[in-house]
Amino acid sequence: MLESIKEDYILLNKKSWDEVAPRFFGRTALPVYGPFLPTENELNLFGNVEDKIVLEIGCGSGHSLNFMASRGASELWGIDLSDTQIETAWDLLSAHKSKLNLFQGPMEKNPGIPSEYFDIVYSIYAIGWTVDLPMTLQQVFSYLKPGGTFIFSWEHPLHNRIKQEGEQFVIKKSYHEEGPQQCEPWDLPAMMNQLKLSTYINELIQSGFQIEKVIEDVVITEEIKSGDSTVWYTHQKASLIPAAFIIKCTKK
């Protein structure tokens, strides 16, 4: 993808996120990884984060960083594309300002984050907004100490290829087609980089990461079954294909 087009998409997404951000304050934040996924309380992927230095890619309103603070993380760092989200995160995390560093900017670029400084870098349901996955992963790799952990979650690539039409599920797109596409659930212009699961895995390996775990498990509770069947993520669809996935890896 041409660099000028990537920059256009970043600006487009920033504008849209600044407008819609209030709808997403506090949504999909640790201990939740994403729709129908097991939670961190069940998975314990991070382990003990006490005295760890952590960085969140796509920190949003700061709720996942607040979770890390509650677990004893020694320093809280975050980057997000949206000014609105960063402002909200500063307010939410005001009690932790002495150990807080937040940056507004795209995840593809380093806004002043130190190299080989972090024990843990993570991203909760944000990585799919990157317009350049290899560049984003190179940045993440550079931020981590040797032996550091990178954990991220995102919508499963199968999810928007298959549509629910009443009681039927229809394949609407080829799984093999990759590239930027309009974010379907949004009314505003916003571009997501549609990728295959193998692309995420191979790009992680190419960047130097060692993959420890890939999670596609689906958890459907009775409470979820009573939910709205017209929303983007439904239990009927999740019972057939994963709605989301998690990958845990380490810097070699």
Side-chain angles (χ1 to χ4, degrees):
M1 195 190 307
L2 294 174
E3 292 302 317
S4 60
I5 296 176
K6 293 177 185 177
E7 292 294 333
D8 289 344
Y9 286 160
I10 287 172
L11 292 173
L12 179 74
N13 288 346
K14 181 186 183 306
K15 181 179 179 181
S16 295
W17 264 109
D18 281 339
E19 185 169 338
V20 304
R23 286 170 42 195
F24 293 92
F25 288 165
R27 286 174 57 180
T28 316
L30 288 172
V32 173
Y33 280 101
F36 303 107
L37 283 169
T39 68
E40 173 61 9
N41 295 335
E42 299 164 280
L43 296 170
N44 195 33
L45 295 178
F46 287 96
N48 183 5
V49 302
E50 190 170 359
D51 296 326
K52 301 292 186 183
I53 304 173
V54 304
L55 166 65
E56 181 172 8
I57 307 297
C59 64
S61 52
H63 286 78
S64 290
L65 284 171
N66 199 42
F67 175 84
M68 287 295 184
S70 72
R71 296 295 182 94
S74 63
E75 294 185 31
L76 309 170
W77 294 64
I79 179 173
D80 198 274
L81 184 60
S82 167
D83 287 299
T84 310
Q85 294 276 43
I86 289 294
E87 290 169 7
T88 303
W90 276 115
D91 290 339
L92 179 77
L93 298 163
S94 59
H96 308 289
K97 281 188 176 178
S98 63
K99 58 180 181 180
L100 180 64
N101 292 277
L102 299 177
F103 297 87
Q104 182 281 319
M107 63 182 79
E108 296 84 0
K109 300 178 182 180
N110 185 340
I113 296 170
S115 299
E116 297 194 347
Y117 186 73
F118 297 91
D119 301 295
I120 299 169
V121 178
Y122 68 95
S123 180
I124 306 301
Y125 236 66
I127 202 79
W129 287 99
T130 180
V131 300
D132 190 329
L133 181 63
M135 182 58 68
T136 294
L137 294 180
Q138 288 173 32
Q139 299 294 353
V140 171
F141 191 85
S142 72
Y143 300 148
L144 279 168
K145 298 175 182 177
T149 299
F150 177 41
I151 298 172
F152 70 92
S153 63
W154 184 240
E155 181 176 285
H156 199 285
L158 282 173
H159 186 269
N160 80 353
R161 265 78 160 190
I162 299 174
K163 304 298 180 185
Q164 184 172 351
E165 298 180 354
E167 298 298 318
Q168 301 295 316
F169 293 88
V170 182
I171 299 174
K172 290 290 190 176
K173 303 178 190 176
S174 168
Y175 180 75
H176 307 293
E177 292 181 11
E178 296 186 290
Q181 300 176 11
Q182 167 65 28
C183 178
E184 291 184 53
W186 285 26
D187 297 328
L188 295 173
M191 301 302 292
M192 278 185 175
N193 201 9
Q194 186 68 59
L195 302 171
K196 297 183 292 187
L197 186 58
S198 60
T199 298
Y200 285 102
I201 291 171
N202 290 330
E203 290 294 347
L204 284 165
I205 295 169
Q206 184 67 29
S207 297
F209 286 103
Q210 180 173 325
I211 295 172
E212 293 190 9
K213 189 169 289 189
V214 179
I215 297 169
E216 301 176 289
D217 297 351
V218 172
V219 177
I220 301 176
T221 65
E222 289 301 319
E223 180 181 0
I224 291 173
K225 285 184 180 181
S226 64
D228 185 354
S229 63
T230 65
V231 296
W232 182 248
Y233 299 107
T234 68
H235 74 269
Q236 296 97 332
K237 192 171 178 180
S239 68
L240 299 175
I241 59 170
F245 70 95
I246 309 167
I247 296 180
K248 178 180 179 179
C249 48
T250 56
K251 179 174 179 175
K252 295 179 182 179

